[in-house]
Amino acid sequence: MRIAITRTGGFAGIERRAELDTTGRPDATHVQALAHRALASAAEEGTAVTGVPDGFRYEISVDGRTIHCADPHLTHEQRELIRFVLKEGA
Amino acid sequence: MHPVFCTIVPPHVLDKLAQSEDPAVSESARRTLEHDSLQRTRRRITTLRGVAAPTGTPSDKPERTIYDAEHREVAPGRKVHAEGDAPSNDTTVNRAHAGLGATFELFLKVYGRHSIDDAGLPLDATVHYGEKYDNAFWDGSQMVFGDGDNDLFLDFTIPVDVIGHELTHGVTQHTANLEYYGQSGALNESVSDVFGSLIKQYALGQSADQADWLIGAGLLGPNVDRGVALRSMKAPGTAYDDDVLGKDPQPATMDDYVRTSRDNGGVHINSGIPNHAFYLLATDLGGNAWERAGKIWYATLTGGELLASDADFAEFARLTAASARTLFGEGDEIQAVLKAWSSVGVPAS
């Protein structure tokens, strides 16, 4: 599974992007499950809420499916996935 | 394989998508529009302009409360400091308290505004939000500050202009409510930079020629080798040019206007143009920037229904000229306003 996250906006207005391939990772099952939950919560629970000025905006793509979300209205799973991919991804 | 629509998609695009012949696209866009319009209705309720304060006269003293998120992404968090308390052992708490005070002070003393909503809104702030969180924002009702990662960014409570910038988003929300997209979004950002800088200048007692006109000076961390701040109103595009941060993308004039769908249509990029116009006006008039130049901008922002929420640069520029005439008549001020906008390539008349 390929997970790509682009973070835009923020006070600085500086874009950040990271991508991660779960293939061959020892934590692949965990990360894939997290990604599924992060996307599912956006699609099904209507987390598509209005962002705030200077709040970070995120684009999360998982195997070609893309969702958008924004601080401070992220689900727990989205927050965790974003933190993980921006830290571990390249 | 349809995207889930969210905040990043501007309403006018959603309007188009909602009319799409692809039912999956139109349905998704329609639902988002309904949700957004509910949010906007709520916002409109809070932005009714010229409505009298609820009861009595609002206080001339701020009512500040600081909360600690304890490195989680929650707000407000645990209450750690009230208005009358002695200084905290946590310098971040003290900086937030002082920054809220400096902002309250400028708006009250210079523009006669009682807090963010002009009705004495208590000022709440959450510090230590998240882990190594590289941002600060106004969430619609309170301030939120991250600690920074200590690599690229330091603690976001350090520069008083950052605190002022964010709180000014609250003032804009309660007045012109400039839509956070495209040119109106860049104006929203610019107005926050203008008053953020004025709050710093007022606190330091600096005149226009003494001010650094930087936004976010002191915020950049040890891993940024070449940068002085995040934005420069004096020389947009020159604040940083670094191997990690990249280069400051701000234009100073319409010749270099950046057309992009990123960053809500470049709100943090093209704000360089109205920022520079304000700088030119303030330095041309001389003296304290918060006096004549600041009053013209403040009157434009808060002048009731005149300034549309989707105003573009030219509309804003025309209204600053109108404000200058109303406040100061046919004098140096109006000439300086017209000259400043002309220098950045925006028609003001």
Side-chain angles (χ1 to χ4, degrees), chain B residues 4-340:
Chain B
V4 174
F5 296 106
C6 179
T7 67
I8 214 156
V9 186
H12 64 89
V13 174
L14 285 171
D15 277 330
K16 257 203 194 101
L17 290 173
Q19 292 159 18
S20 168
E21 286 179 17
D22 180 335
V25 171
S26 59
E27 171 63 14
S28 181
R30 193 186 52 73
R31 263 188 278 120
T32 307
L33 275 171
E34 281 172 2
H35 182 88
D36 277 4
S37 106
L38 177 66
Q39 296 279 336
R40 273 198 295 277
T41 306
R42 285 200 191 120
R43 207 178 317 149
R44 214 173 290 129
I45 289 165
T46 65
T47 55
L48 284 175
R49 287 173 273 203
V51 175
T55 45
T57 313
S59 170
D60 285 352
K61 299 262 187 271
E63 189 187 332
R64 295 162 286 182
T65 310
I66 314 296
Y67 299 82
D68 189 338
E70 297 169 317
H71 306 293
R72 292 179 300 142
E73 289 183 27
V74 292
R78 185 169 62 90
K79 181 177 169 181
V80 291
H81 195 268
E83 182 60 44
D85 288 356
S88 165
N89 292 327
D90 183 342
T91 52
T92 300
V93 169
N94 295 334
R95 276 195 300 257
H97 180 81
L100 296 177
T103 303
F104 185 94
E105 188 85 354
L106 176 89
F107 279 114
L108 179 67
K109 296 283 167 62
V110 181
Y111 308 116
R113 184 178 191 81
H114 288 83
S115 192
I116 300 307
D117 61 349
D118 200 19
L121 183 77
L123 298 175
D124 294 344
T126 295
V127 298
H128 304 308
Y129 182 85
E131 278 175 49
K132 300 187 173 184
Y133 192 80
D134 278 336
N135 205 14
F137 58 88
W138 169 258
D139 81 351
S141 58
Q142 68 151 91
M143 278 303 311
V144 175
F145 295 100
D147 291 331
D149 56 20
N150 226 6
D151 182 44
L152 298 178
F153 295 101
L154 304 177
D155 189 323
F156 276 72
T157 59
I158 291 173
V160 71
D161 49 283
V162 171
I163 300 178
H165 172 108
E166 293 306 331
L167 285 164
T168 303
H169 279 308
V171 174
T172 300
Q173 169 197 335
H174 283 275
T175 54
N177 204 20
L178 292 159
E179 283 172 21
Y180 205 64
Y181 187 82
Q183 290 200 8
S184 59
L187 286 168
N188 191 323
E189 269 302 308
S190 175
V191 161
S192 272
D193 278 350
V194 164
F195 288 100
S197 182
L198 291 180
I199 285 155
K200 177 175 165 181
Q201 294 175 34
Y202 184 73
L204 295 174
Q206 290 177 331
S207 59
D209 60 329
Q210 293 168 330
D212 62 16
W213 295 97
L214 296 171
I215 301 298
L219 184 64
L220 299 178
N223 199 18
V224 180
D225 305 318
R226 294 174 61 200
V228 290
L230 282 166
R231 291 184 280 278
S232 168
M233 300 176 69
K234 182 177 183 173
T238 66
Y240 59 89
D241 185 359
D242 182 76
D243 54 350
V244 197
L245 279 191
K247 188 185 178 304
D248 177 357
Q250 284 212 315
T253 73
M254 288 303 285
D255 286 345
D256 298 315
Y257 184 89
V258 178
R259 288 176 197 284
T260 176
S261 61
R262 289 162 181 264
D263 183 33
N264 280 20
V267 295
H268 293 91
I269 300 172
N270 292 316
S271 56
I273 297 166
N275 274 2
H276 194 54
F278 184 83
Y279 162 82
L280 291 171
L281 169 66
T283 48
D284 188 4
L285 292 177
N288 296 323
W290 60 83
E291 288 170 6
R292 286 182 291 169
K295 278 178 180 160
I296 292 167
W297 248 240
Y298 182 78
T300 305
L301 179 70
T302 60
E305 299 293 338
L306 286 169
L307 180 59
S309 59
D310 63 348
D312 61 11
F313 289 177
E315 185 181 343
F316 185 85
R318 280 194 300 275
L319 287 170
T320 59
S323 298
R325 279 202 179 88
T326 306
L327 288 168
F328 304 107
E330 296 293 333
D332 295 347
E333 294 83 3
I334 177 65
Q335 292 312 317
V337 166
L338 295 174
K339 199 170 126 196

Side-chain angles (χ1 to χ4, degrees), chain A residues 1 3 5 7-8 10 12 14 17 22-23 30 32 40 48 50 55 57-58 61 66 68 70 73 75 78 81:
Chain A
M1 178 189 277
I3 308 167
I5 293 184
R7 187 186 78 189
T8 59
I14 294 171
R17 187 186 153 81
T22 59
T23 313
H30 167 73
Q32 286 168 10
T50 309
R57 265 87 171 157
Y58 304 94
S61 294
T66 301
H68 294 98
H73 309 294
T75 65
Q78 288 165 354
L81 182 71

Side-chain angles (χ1 to χ4, degrees), chain A residues 57-72:
Chain A
R57 265 87 171 157
Y58 304 94
E59 182 180 283
I60 306 177
S61 294
V62 176
D63 284 344
R65 185 173 165 228
T66 301
I67 65 150
H68 294 98
C69 50
D71 272 348

